[in-house]
Amino acid sequence: MSTERTLVLVKPDGVRRALVGEVISRIETKGYSIIALRMLDADRSILERHYVEHQGKPFYEPLLEFMASGPIVAMIVQGNRVIEGFRSLAGVTDPTLATPGTIRGDLARDQGTNVVQNIVHGSDSAQSAAREIAIFFPGISVEGK
Ligand code: DAT
Ligand code: MG
């Protein structure tokens, strides 16, 4: 099966700066489909589950604090090779190094904070997508058609 689903988050910096429409526009213009979407205030337990791989790292607490600093928008995005494709649209983690033309490269910069603020999250593998979709959209399967 080549169609995939990925979890995309517009982080609090993106929502605060009214970039939700811009992010959605880039996803849709690329040709991917948004099949579920919700705005939420992520509580600590949901963020601990989402970022379990980063537990213990120096930026872990600042990351959780930042992600709880305001509403986020979660969506399931679908399309052929969308996991890889959205990571490509987003650009690399560090917005200073992210290529212009990408979401992070165009819309974010170093804010001098101890956690990188970079507008969006996208799942990094099929396994992560399944795990993360279950966190933010319990009841919706990762299985796409
Ligand atoms: P990505 O979001 O590109 O998958 P990641 O999963 O390695 O990156 O890290 C999750 C988030 O944590 C990332 O979007 C920004 C922040 N972050 C990552 N590495 C960092 C670092 N070395 N210093 C500060 N914040 C960092
Ligand atoms: Mg990651």
Side-chain angles (χ1 to χ4, degrees):
M1 185 177 66
S2 55
T3 298
E4 295 178 333
R5 293 178 176 182
T6 192
L7 180 85
V8 171
L9 301 177
V10 183
K11 298 182 180 183
D13 56 338
V15 174
R16 271 195 287 274
R17 290 177 52 208
L19 293 172
V20 176
E22 174 73 27
V23 171
I24 287 175
S25 176
R26 288 176 184 231
I27 291 167
E28 291 187 329
T29 305
K30 180 75 173 174
Y32 299 130
S33 304
I34 294 166
I35 63 149
L37 183 147
R38 64 186 280 236
M39 180 176 262
L40 70 150
D41 293 295
D43 60 24
R44 177 137 187 132
S45 68
I46 216 171
L47 294 172
E48 281 175 356
R49 286 177 67 198
H50 179 65
Y51 280 124
V52 67
E53 68 182 294
H54 296 305
Q55 210 172 357
K57 295 183 185 172
F59 60 87
Y60 177 73
E61 283 300 330
L63 175 61
L64 262 54
E65 202 174 305
F66 164 59
M67 290 297 292
S69 69
I72 63 174
V73 171
M75 47 193 135
I76 302 175
V77 182
Q78 181 168 300
N80 294 80
R81 297 177 68 196
V82 69
I83 296 170
E84 187 184 4
F86 181 77
R87 299 277 293 184
S88 175
L89 277 185
V92 298
T93 307
D94 180 348
T96 300
L97 302 179
T99 309
T102 64
I103 292 168
R104 289 162 168 176
D106 285 348
L107 307 176
R109 68 168 174 85
D110 194 322
Q111 300 288 339
T113 48
N114 48 11
V115 64
V116 172
Q117 301 189 6
N118 55 14
I119 313 283
V120 287
H121 165 85
S123 307
D124 64 7
S125 66
Q127 195 183 4
S128 298
R131 194 181 68 78
E132 294 170 0
I133 286 171
I135 294 170
F136 288 90
F137 295 94
I140 301 185
S141 157
V142 72
E143 305 292 317
K145 283 216 191 98

